[in-house]
PDB file of all heavy atoms in Angstrom:
ATOM      1  N   ILE A 203      12.276   5.847   4.126  1.00 95.00           N
ATOM      2  CA  ILE A 203      13.026   6.350   5.290  1.00 95.00           C
ATOM      3  C   ILE A 203      14.199   7.169   4.790  1.00 95.00           C
ATOM      4  O   ILE A 203      15.028   6.698   3.996  1.00 95.00           O
ATOM      5  CB  ILE A 203      13.544   5.182   6.159  1.00 95.00           C
ATOM      6  CG1 ILE A 203      12.385   4.290   6.610  1.00 95.00           C
ATOM      7  CG2 ILE A 203      14.319   5.726   7.358  1.00 95.00           C
ATOM      8  CD1 ILE A 203      11.380   4.981   7.486  1.00 95.00           C
ATOM      9  N   THR A 204      14.273   8.407   5.233  1.00 94.00           N
ATOM     10  CA  THR A 204      15.369   9.304   4.866  1.00 94.00           C
ATOM     11  C   THR A 204      16.030   9.875   6.119  1.00 94.00           C
ATOM     12  O   THR A 204      15.552   9.662   7.234  1.00 94.00           O
ATOM     13  CB  THR A 204      14.858  10.481   3.998  1.00 94.00           C
ATOM     14  OG1 THR A 204      13.996  11.289   4.814  1.00 94.00           O
ATOM     15  CG2 THR A 204      14.094   9.973   2.775  1.00 94.00           C
ATOM     16  N   GLU A 205      17.100  10.574   5.912  1.00 94.00           N
ATOM     17  CA  GLU A 205      17.793  11.199   7.064  1.00 94.00           C
ATOM     18  C   GLU A 205      16.878  12.175   7.786  1.00 94.00           C
ATOM     19  O   GLU A 205      16.943  12.326   9.012  1.00 94.00           O
ATOM     20  CB  GLU A 205      19.057  11.917   6.586  1.00 94.00           C
ATOM     21  CG  GLU A 205      19.882  12.511   7.717  1.00 94.00           C
ATOM     22  CD  GLU A 205      21.155  13.161   7.181  1.00 94.00           C
ATOM     23  OE1 GLU A 205      21.376  13.162   5.953  1.00 94.00           O
ATOM     24  OE2 GLU A 205      21.936  13.653   8.011  1.00 94.00           O
ATOM     25  N   ASP A 206      15.989  12.834   7.035  1.00 94.00           N
ATOM     26  CA  ASP A 206      15.115  13.856   7.625  1.00 94.00           C
ATOM     27  C   ASP A 206      13.990  13.264   8.455  1.00 94.00           C
ATOM     28  O   ASP A 206      13.599  13.834   9.463  1.00 94.00           O
ATOM     29  CB  ASP A 206      14.522  14.741   6.520  1.00 94.00           C
ATOM     30  CG  ASP A 206      15.593  15.549   5.782  1.00 94.00           C
ATOM     31  OD1 ASP A 206      16.642  15.859   6.425  1.00 94.00           O
ATOM     32  OD2 ASP A 206      15.400  15.850   4.597  1.00 94.00           O
ATOM     33  N   ASN A 207      13.427  12.118   8.016  1.00 93.00           N
ATOM     34  CA  ASN A 207      12.267  11.585   8.729  1.00 93.00           C
ATOM     35  C   ASN A 207      12.589  10.359   9.588  1.00 93.00           C
ATOM     36  O   ASN A 207      11.705   9.744  10.154  1.00 93.00           O
ATOM     37  CB  ASN A 207      11.146  11.252   7.757  1.00 93.00           C
ATOM     38  CG  ASN A 207      11.533  10.150   6.758  1.00 93.00           C
ATOM     39  OD1 ASN A 207      12.418   9.333   7.002  1.00 93.00           O
ATOM     40  ND2 ASN A 207      10.841  10.117   5.633  1.00 93.00           N
ATOM     41  N   PHE A 208      13.876   9.997   9.679  1.00 93.00           N
ATOM     42  CA  PHE A 208      14.244   8.778  10.390  1.00 93.00           C
ATOM     43  C   PHE A 208      13.741   8.754  11.836  1.00 93.00           C
ATOM     44  O   PHE A 208      13.092   7.806  12.264  1.00 93.00           O
ATOM     45  CB  PHE A 208      15.781   8.625  10.379  1.00 93.00           C
ATOM     46  CG  PHE A 208      16.272   7.397  11.077  1.00 93.00           C
ATOM     47  CD1 PHE A 208      16.393   6.199  10.396  1.00 93.00           C
ATOM     48  CD2 PHE A 208      16.601   7.424  12.439  1.00 93.00           C
ATOM     49  CE1 PHE A 208      16.829   5.040  11.051  1.00 93.00           C
ATOM     50  CE2 PHE A 208      17.025   6.283  13.100  1.00 93.00           C
ATOM     51  CZ  PHE A 208      17.166   5.089  12.409  1.00 93.00           C
ATOM     52  N   SER A 209      13.988   9.828  12.575  1.00 90.00           N
ATOM     53  CA  SER A 209      13.609   9.851  13.987  1.00 90.00           C
ATOM     54  C   SER A 209      12.089   9.843  14.153  1.00 90.00           C
ATOM     55  O   SER A 209      11.566   9.395  15.167  1.00 90.00           O
ATOM     56  CB  SER A 209      14.204  11.079  14.690  1.00 90.00           C
ATOM     57  OG  SER A 209      13.743  12.283  14.048  1.00 90.00           O
ATOM     58  N   GLU A 210      11.369  10.314  13.133  1.00 89.00           N
ATOM     59  CA  GLU A 210       9.914  10.385  13.205  1.00 89.00           C
ATOM     60  C   GLU A 210       9.264   9.040  12.922  1.00 89.00           C
ATOM     61  O   GLU A 210       8.268   8.644  13.554  1.00 89.00           O
ATOM     62  CB  GLU A 210       9.385  11.414  12.223  1.00 89.00           C
ATOM     63  CG  GLU A 210       7.880  11.487  12.119  1.00 89.00           C
ATOM     64  CD  GLU A 210       7.406  12.397  10.992  1.00 89.00           C
ATOM     65  OE1 GLU A 210       8.273  13.105  10.410  1.00 89.00           O
ATOM     66  OE2 GLU A 210       6.208  12.384  10.702  1.00 89.00           O
ATOM     67  N   LEU A 211       9.834   8.292  11.942  1.00 88.00           N
ATOM     68  CA  LEU A 211       9.182   7.076  11.466  1.00 88.00           C
ATOM     69  C   LEU A 211       9.740   5.791  12.056  1.00 88.00           C
ATOM     70  O   LEU A 211       9.041   4.791  12.126  1.00 88.00           O
ATOM     71  CB  LEU A 211       9.300   6.992   9.924  1.00 88.00           C
ATOM     72  CG  LEU A 211       8.627   8.097   9.138  1.00 88.00           C
ATOM     73  CD1 LEU A 211       8.847   7.899   7.642  1.00 88.00           C
ATOM     74  CD2 LEU A 211       7.130   8.162   9.442  1.00 88.00           C
ATOM     75  N   VAL A 212      11.011   5.806  12.476  1.00 89.00           N
ATOM     76  CA  VAL A 212      11.634   4.597  12.969  1.00 89.00           C
ATOM     77  C   VAL A 212      11.627   4.560  14.485  1.00 89.00           C
ATOM     78  O   VAL A 212      12.297   5.352  15.160  1.00 89.00           O
ATOM     79  CB  VAL A 212      13.088   4.473  12.452  1.00 89.00           C
ATOM     80  CG1 VAL A 212      13.726   3.181  12.965  1.00 89.00           C
ATOM     81  CG2 VAL A 212      13.105   4.499  10.925  1.00 89.00           C
ATOM     82  N   LYS A 213      10.815   3.633  15.033  1.00 83.00           N
ATOM     83  CA  LYS A 213      10.717   3.486  16.478  1.00 83.00           C
ATOM     84  C   LYS A 213      10.756   2.006  16.815  1.00 83.00           C
ATOM     85  O   LYS A 213      10.640   1.135  15.923  1.00 83.00           O
ATOM     86  CB  LYS A 213       9.387   4.102  16.983  1.00 83.00           C
ATOM     87  CG  LYS A 213       9.262   5.592  16.737  1.00 83.00           C
ATOM     88  CD  LYS A 213       7.936   6.118  17.301  1.00 83.00           C
ATOM     89  CE  LYS A 213       7.868   7.628  17.234  1.00 83.00           C
ATOM     90  NZ  LYS A 213       7.690   8.157  15.915  1.00 83.00           N
ATOM     91  N   ASP A 214      10.926   1.683  18.067  1.00 79.00           N
ATOM     92  CA  ASP A 214      10.981   0.297  18.483  1.00 79.00           C
ATOM     93  C   ASP A 214       9.701  -0.426  18.047  1.00 79.00           C
ATOM     94  O   ASP A 214       8.593   0.082  18.227  1.00 79.00           O
ATOM     95  CB  ASP A 214      11.099   0.200  20.033  1.00 79.00           C
ATOM     96  CG  ASP A 214      12.486   0.603  20.499  1.00 79.00           C
ATOM     97  OD1 ASP A 214      13.412   0.627  19.668  1.00 79.00           O
ATOM     98  OD2 ASP A 214      12.635   0.890  21.701  1.00 79.00           O
ATOM     99  N   GLY A 215       9.873  -1.599  17.466  1.00 76.00           N
ATOM    100  CA  GLY A 215       8.728  -2.413  17.093  1.00 76.00           C
ATOM    101  C   GLY A 215       8.150  -2.110  15.725  1.00 76.00           C
ATOM    102  O   GLY A 215       7.237  -2.800  15.281  1.00 76.00           O
ATOM    103  N   VAL A 216       8.677  -1.103  15.044  1.00 82.00           N
ATOM    104  CA  VAL A 216       8.163  -0.729  13.722  1.00 82.00           C
ATOM    105  C   VAL A 216       8.718  -1.689  12.667  1.00 82.00           C
ATOM    106  O   VAL A 216       9.902  -2.021  12.673  1.00 82.00           O
ATOM    107  CB  VAL A 216       8.546   0.735  13.351  1.00 82.00           C
ATOM    108  CG1 VAL A 216       8.249   1.005  11.879  1.00 82.00           C
ATOM    109  CG2 VAL A 216       7.804   1.686  14.229  1.00 82.00           C
ATOM    110  N   THR A 217       7.853  -2.197  11.794  1.00 84.00           N
ATOM    111  CA  THR A 217       8.266  -3.070  10.711  1.00 84.00           C
ATOM    112  C   THR A 217       8.695  -2.269   9.494  1.00 84.00           C
ATOM    113  O   THR A 217       7.996  -1.318   9.107  1.00 84.00           O
ATOM    114  CB  THR A 217       7.114  -4.019  10.303  1.00 84.00           C
ATOM    115  OG1 THR A 217       6.757  -4.818  11.434  1.00 84.00           O
ATOM    116  CG2 THR A 217       7.521  -4.929   9.162  1.00 84.00           C
ATOM    117  N   LEU A 218       9.830  -2.611   8.913  1.00 89.00           N
ATOM    118  CA  LEU A 218      10.365  -1.890   7.753  1.00 89.00           C
ATOM    119  C   LEU A 218      10.571  -2.863   6.585  1.00 89.00           C
ATOM    120  O   LEU A 218      10.770  -4.051   6.785  1.00 89.00           O
ATOM    121  CB  LEU A 218      11.693  -1.210   8.084  1.00 89.00           C
ATOM    122  CG  LEU A 218      11.677  -0.180   9.237  1.00 89.00           C
ATOM    123  CD1 LEU A 218      13.098   0.268   9.544  1.00 89.00           C
ATOM    124  CD2 LEU A 218      10.795   0.993   8.901  1.00 89.00           C
ATOM    125  N   TYR A 219      10.506  -2.323   5.382  1.00 90.00           N
ATOM    126  CA  TYR A 219      10.788  -3.091   4.171  1.00 90.00           C
ATOM    127  C   TYR A 219      12.122  -2.629   3.575  1.00 90.00           C
ATOM    128  O   TYR A 219      12.434  -1.434   3.561  1.00 90.00           O
ATOM    129  CB  TYR A 219       9.718  -2.843   3.087  1.00 90.00           C
ATOM    130  CG  TYR A 219       8.330  -3.399   3.385  1.00 90.00           C
ATOM    131  CD1 TYR A 219       7.213  -2.844   2.760  1.00 90.00           C
ATOM    132  CD2 TYR A 219       8.141  -4.463   4.253  1.00 90.00           C
ATOM    133  CE1 TYR A 219       5.944  -3.338   3.012  1.00 90.00           C
ATOM    134  CE2 TYR A 219       6.887  -4.953   4.506  1.00 90.00           C
ATOM    135  CZ  TYR A 219       5.783  -4.389   3.890  1.00 90.00           C
ATOM    136  OH  TYR A 219       4.528  -4.876   4.138  1.00 90.00           O
ATOM    137  N   LEU A 220      12.913  -3.603   3.118  1.00 92.00           N
ATOM    138  CA  LEU A 220      14.125  -3.309   2.347  1.00 92.00           C
ATOM    139  C   LEU A 220      13.830  -3.693   0.908  1.00 92.00           C
ATOM    140  O   LEU A 220      13.661  -4.863   0.587  1.00 92.00           O
ATOM    141  CB  LEU A 220      15.304  -4.136   2.889  1.00 92.00           C
ATOM    142  CG  LEU A 220      16.652  -3.971   2.137  1.00 92.00           C
ATOM    143  CD1 LEU A 220      17.150  -2.537   2.231  1.00 92.00           C
ATOM    144  CD2 LEU A 220      17.680  -4.922   2.724  1.00 92.00           C
ATOM    145  N   LEU A 221      13.702  -2.669   0.028  1.00 93.00           N
ATOM    146  CA  LEU A 221      13.231  -2.894  -1.334  1.00 93.00           C
ATOM    147  C   LEU A 221      14.173  -2.283  -2.346  1.00 93.00           C
ATOM    148  O   LEU A 221      15.013  -1.434  -2.022  1.00 93.00           O
ATOM    149  CB  LEU A 221      11.838  -2.262  -1.515  1.00 93.00           C
ATOM    150  CG  LEU A 221      10.752  -2.683  -0.508  1.00 93.00           C
ATOM    151  CD1 LEU A 221       9.513  -1.798  -0.704  1.00 93.00           C
ATOM    152  CD2 LEU A 221      10.390  -4.158  -0.705  1.00 93.00           C
ATOM    153  N   GLN A 222      13.998  -2.669  -3.609  1.00 92.00           N
ATOM    154  CA  GLN A 222      14.756  -2.075  -4.691  1.00 92.00           C
ATOM    155  C   GLN A 222      14.181  -0.755  -5.104  1.00 92.00           C
ATOM    156  O   GLN A 222      14.872   0.122  -5.620  1.00 92.00           O
ATOM    157  CB  GLN A 222      14.824  -3.030  -5.864  1.00 92.00           C
ATOM    158  CG  GLN A 222      15.654  -4.295  -5.585  1.00 92.00           C
ATOM    159  CD  GLN A 222      15.608  -5.271  -6.758  1.00 92.00           C
ATOM    160  OE1 GLN A 222      14.574  -5.522  -7.342  1.00 92.00           O
ATOM    161  NE2 GLN A 222      16.768  -5.841  -7.087  1.00 92.00           N
ATOM    162  N   SER A 223      12.860  -0.576  -4.885  1.00 93.00           N
ATOM    163  CA  SER A 223      12.206   0.694  -5.166  1.00 93.00           C
ATOM    164  C   SER A 223      10.973   0.776  -4.258  1.00 93.00           C
ATOM    165  O   SER A 223      10.477  -0.234  -3.759  1.00 93.00           O
ATOM    166  CB  SER A 223      11.768   0.788  -6.636  1.00 93.00           C
ATOM    167  OG  SER A 223      10.806  -0.205  -6.949  1.00 93.00           O
ATOM    168  N   VAL A 224      10.483   1.999  -4.055  1.00 92.00           N
ATOM    169  CA  VAL A 224       9.365   2.211  -3.150  1.00 92.00           C
ATOM    170  C   VAL A 224       8.123   1.420  -3.604  1.00 92.00           C
ATOM    171  O   VAL A 224       7.362   0.895  -2.780  1.00 92.00           O
ATOM    172  CB  VAL A 224       9.028   3.708  -3.042  1.00 92.00           C
ATOM    173  CG1 VAL A 224       7.744   3.938  -2.256  1.00 92.00           C
ATOM    174  CG2 VAL A 224      10.182   4.455  -2.377  1.00 92.00           C
ATOM    175  N   ASP A 225       7.908   1.330  -4.925  1.00 91.00           N
ATOM    176  CA  ASP A 225       6.710   0.681  -5.436  1.00 91.00           C
ATOM    177  C   ASP A 225       6.957  -0.761  -5.856  1.00 91.00           C
ATOM    178  O   ASP A 225       6.146  -1.353  -6.599  1.00 91.00           O
ATOM    179  CB  ASP A 225       6.135   1.470  -6.612  1.00 91.00           C
ATOM    180  CG  ASP A 225       7.158   1.644  -7.740  1.00 91.00           C
ATOM    181  OD1 ASP A 225       8.314   1.218  -7.571  1.00 91.00           O
ATOM    182  OD2 ASP A 225       6.776   2.204  -8.790  1.00 91.00           O
ATOM    183  N   GLN A 226       8.030  -1.389  -5.371  1.00 92.00           N
ATOM    184  CA  GLN A 226       8.305  -2.785  -5.712  1.00 92.00           C
ATOM    185  C   GLN A 226       7.187  -3.696  -5.224  1.00 92.00           C
ATOM    186  O   GLN A 226       6.687  -3.547  -4.105  1.00 92.00           O
ATOM    187  CB  GLN A 226       9.635  -3.219  -5.093  1.00 92.00           C
ATOM    188  CG  GLN A 226       9.991  -4.682  -5.329  1.00 92.00           C
ATOM    189  CD  GLN A 226      11.272  -5.094  -4.637  1.00 92.00           C
ATOM    190  OE1 GLN A 226      12.110  -4.259  -4.330  1.00 92.00           O
ATOM    191  NE2 GLN A 226      11.452  -6.373  -4.379  1.00 92.00           N
ATOM    192  N   ILE A 227       6.805  -4.654  -6.047  1.00 90.00           N
ATOM    193  CA  ILE A 227       5.783  -5.621  -5.648  1.00 90.00           C
ATOM    194  C   ILE A 227       6.394  -6.628  -4.685  1.00 90.00           C
ATOM    195  O   ILE A 227       7.472  -7.167  -4.941  1.00 90.00           O
ATOM    196  CB  ILE A 227       5.204  -6.347  -6.873  1.00 90.00           C
ATOM    197  CG1 ILE A 227       4.491  -5.345  -7.817  1.00 90.00           C
ATOM    198  CG2 ILE A 227       4.254  -7.453  -6.459  1.00 90.00           C
ATOM    199  CD1 ILE A 227       3.989  -5.970  -9.083  1.00 90.00           C
ATOM    200  N   LEU A 228       5.720  -6.889  -3.566  1.00 88.00           N
ATOM    201  CA  LEU A 228       6.212  -7.839  -2.581  1.00 88.00           C
ATOM    202  C   LEU A 228       6.109  -9.243  -3.162  1.00 88.00           C
ATOM    203  O   LEU A 228       5.070  -9.622  -3.717  1.00 88.00           O
ATOM    204  CB  LEU A 228       5.440  -7.720  -1.274  1.00 88.00           C
ATOM    205  CG  LEU A 228       5.485  -6.372  -0.583  1.00 88.00           C
ATOM    206  CD1 LEU A 228       4.659  -6.428   0.726  1.00 88.00           C
ATOM    207  CD2 LEU A 228       6.917  -5.986  -0.265  1.00 88.00           C
ATOM    208  N   LEU A 229       7.133 -10.045  -2.965  1.00 85.00           N
ATOM    209  CA  LEU A 229       7.161 -11.401  -3.505  1.00 85.00           C
ATOM    210  C   LEU A 229       6.345 -12.369  -2.651  1.00 85.00           C
ATOM    211  O   LEU A 229       5.942 -13.428  -3.104  1.00 85.00           O
ATOM    212  CB  LEU A 229       8.604 -11.917  -3.626  1.00 85.00           C
ATOM    213  CG  LEU A 229       9.502 -11.083  -4.559  1.00 85.00           C
ATOM    214  CD1 LEU A 229      10.901 -11.673  -4.586  1.00 85.00           C
ATOM    215  CD2 LEU A 229       8.902 -11.045  -5.982  1.00 85.00           C
ATOM    216  N   SER A 230       6.108 -12.019  -1.409  1.00 86.00           N
ATOM    217  CA  SER A 230       5.325 -12.872  -0.520  1.00 86.00           C
ATOM    218  C   SER A 230       4.667 -12.026   0.557  1.00 86.00           C
ATOM    219  O   SER A 230       5.055 -10.862   0.755  1.00 86.00           O
ATOM    220  CB  SER A 230       6.208 -13.947   0.122  1.00 86.00           C
ATOM    221  OG  SER A 230       7.190 -13.359   0.949  1.00 86.00           O
ATOM    222  N   ALA A 231       3.698 -12.596   1.234  1.00 85.00           N
ATOM    223  CA  ALA A 231       3.004 -11.852   2.284  1.00 85.00           C
ATOM    224  C   ALA A 231       3.911 -11.647   3.488  1.00 85.00           C
ATOM    225  O   ALA A 231       4.793 -12.493   3.769  1.00 85.00           O
ATOM    226  CB  ALA A 231       1.755 -12.602   2.704  1.00 85.00           C
ATOM    227  N   THR A 232       3.748 -10.551   4.163  1.00 82.00           N
ATOM    228  CA  THR A 232       4.533 -10.277   5.370  1.00 82.00           C
ATOM    229  C   THR A 232       3.577 -10.221   6.568  1.00 82.00           C
ATOM    230  O   THR A 232       2.388  -9.960   6.423  1.00 82.00           O
ATOM    231  CB  THR A 232       5.284  -8.946   5.258  1.00 82.00           C
ATOM    232  OG1 THR A 232       4.341  -7.862   5.181  1.00 82.00           O
ATOM    233  CG2 THR A 232       6.172  -8.922   4.052  1.00 82.00           C
TER     234      THR A 232
END
């Protein structure tokens, strides 16, 4: 998510990840 694509990708009900890097391995299932 960047300033340029925020309005396009972020909408009500959308699930987002907060990560240290884009390719970070998830520690558990979501």
